[in-house]
Amino acid sequence: MKIGLDIMGGDFAPKAAVLGAIKAYKVLQGHTLVLIGDKEAALSILAENGVSADNFEFVHTTEVIGMGEHPTKAIVQKPDSSISVGFNLLKQGAIQAFSSAGNTGAMLVGAMFSVKAIPGVLRPAIITIVPKLKNGLGILLDVGANADCKPDVLVQFGVLGSLMAQHVYNIDNPRVALMNIGEEEEKGNLLCQATYPLMKTTSLFNFVGNAEGRDLFTDSADVYVCDGFTGNIILKLAESFYGISRKKGIKDDFFDRFNYEQYGGSPILGVNAPVVVGHGISNDEAIKNMVLLSKDMVESDLVNKIASALQ
């Protein structure tokens, strides 16, 4: 297996990305990590840390897509950027997965332009992990790819999240809930009211009803579905818990599990290859875990399982 890593993406690139690659290499066990970006910069960082360049493959690029650039324009106008080249390699099959802590919009556009959506997928979604209070984890989607959704799209998010929970996180018969403002079937805005009966009658996943915001970190469900606008607000709020606990001097195992570094990145579900987007502030530990998540997605054969489910 060859895993592509954009070493130019993120606020602390390329140093954090290369240091993360070094950490990932130590646990990849026979798989190859392909570093995509400024090769000379990568070689310099490896040399500084006494690591042989022979441990990696390199694809040199000359351009970088900035965090604030327009995604579509940047992909088109910068064909030799690390993100554009990474997606070309993924499309050609030269790598089996691609990850980056760079421009999220460019990663979404690049995925849709190159490997494209799996046939039958209405809209790919971005997922995030939510820790459960007692133990284990849940999945929340969408968290930003689709600010506006239709009911059939949310139903499909339930399928995508359920398959991810089952095959990547080994959760048996995942329970899927619809994020709403109340538990009752008739509650919610027009989108939730139209989605609930579709989820209630589907045989594609194990629907357990509505979930409120206070349920998110409990064991009431394994997969929580919402539109990307709602999901992104929830995600950003949840991300603040770890920082607030640190600033207040609170040391707590549960709040420590809100540290994004542990999870590495967020997969884009519904495209024809494993693609993982990391946080822009990713450090070396987060980059390592982003690479390992990419490996897990390849090994789980999740893409083919999604394709089979949607046939």
Side-chain angles (χ1 to χ4, degrees):
M1 181 197 308
K2 291 189 177 183
I3 301 170
L5 173 65
D6 169 20
I7 62 170
M8 308 309 292
D11 295 345
F12 307 112
K15 186 173 183 178
V18 176
L19 293 179
I22 294 171
K23 286 187 172 183
Y25 167 78
K26 295 177 181 178
V27 291
L28 277 176
Q29 298 180 342
H31 302 304
T32 301
L33 194 49
V34 181
L35 307 186
I36 305 165
D38 187 334
K39 181 177 180 179
E40 292 305 316
L43 291 175
S44 177
I45 296 167
L46 291 172
E48 289 173 3
N49 289 272
V51 177
S52 172
D54 294 338
N55 295 335
F56 306 93
E57 290 186 9
F58 301 87
V59 176
H60 181 67
T61 64
T62 60
E63 297 177 307
V64 177
I65 294 178
M67 300 297 277
E69 290 192 60
H70 187 282
T72 305
K73 290 181 180 178
I75 287 288
V76 173
Q77 295 173 359
K78 292 185 173 180
D80 200 43
S81 65
S82 49
I83 289 179
S84 296
V85 170
F87 276 116
N88 283 333
L89 293 171
L90 191 63
K91 180 180 179 181
Q92 295 164 9
I95 55 177
Q96 283 67 61
F98 179 49
S99 58
S100 171
N103 186 308
T104 300
M107 289 293 287
L108 280 166
V109 171
M112 293 299 290
F113 279 8
S114 60
V115 294
K116 304 185 185 306
I118 295 169
V121 169
L122 299 172
R123 292 189 184 182
I126 298 178
I127 74 115
T128 193
I129 297 301
V130 289
K132 293 183 179 182
L133 184 58
K134 291 184 178 180
N135 196 20
L137 54 85
I139 291 173
L140 175 70
L141 76 163
D142 177 36
V143 294
N146 307 278
D148 297 296
C149 294
K150 294 182 178 180
D152 53 347
V153 173
L154 292 190
V155 172
Q156 198 170 85
F157 288 170
V159 176
L160 298 178
S162 181
L163 291 169
M164 177 86 181
Q166 180 180 354
H167 297 293
V168 176
Y169 293 108
N170 301 313
I171 299 173
D172 185 46
N173 194 27
R175 298 159 296 166
V176 178
L178 176 65
M179 292 301 299
N180 209 331
I181 60 172
E183 295 180 357
E184 298 82 3
E185 183 172 343
E186 68 277 4
K187 284 292 184 73
N189 56 15
L190 293 176
L191 175 60
C192 289
Q193 290 176 17
T195 301
Y196 190 102
L198 297 179
M199 288 189 166
K200 184 179 180 180
T201 57
T202 188
S203 60
L204 296 172
F205 50 79
N206 177 19
F207 182 55
V208 294
N210 286 326
E212 298 181 78
R214 63 187 176 191
D215 300 320
L216 188 62
F217 307 111
T218 70
D219 195 40
S220 61
D222 303 299
V223 178
Y224 298 88
V225 174
C226 59
D227 61 84
F229 182 85
T230 303
N232 194 264
I233 291 174
I234 294 173
L235 170 63
K236 298 296 174 58
L237 175 64
E239 284 182 342
S240 72
F241 294 168
Y242 177 72
I244 291 172
S245 66
R246 287 283 177 169
K247 289 179 181 178
K248 300 291 287 185
I250 300 171
K251 182 63 177 175
D252 182 90
D253 290 342
F254 175 65
F255 288 119
D256 285 347
R257 291 164 59 207
F258 283 85
N259 184 356
Y260 75 94
E261 297 173 12
Q262 298 181 36
Y263 309 108
S266 300
I268 301 176
L269 294 187
V271 294
N272 278 299
V275 176
V276 181
V277 183
H279 204 301
I281 59 171
S282 291
N283 59 14
D284 54 350
E285 183 67 16
I287 296 292
K288 179 199 78 173
N289 287 324
M290 181 171 66
V291 170
L292 298 181
L293 176 57
S294 299
K295 176 187 73 72
D296 291 343
M297 290 184 67
V298 175
E299 291 180 339
S300 71
D301 197 28
L302 182 62
V303 171
N304 287 328
K305 288 181 171 65
I306 292 173
S308 296
L310 297 178
Q311 283 182 352

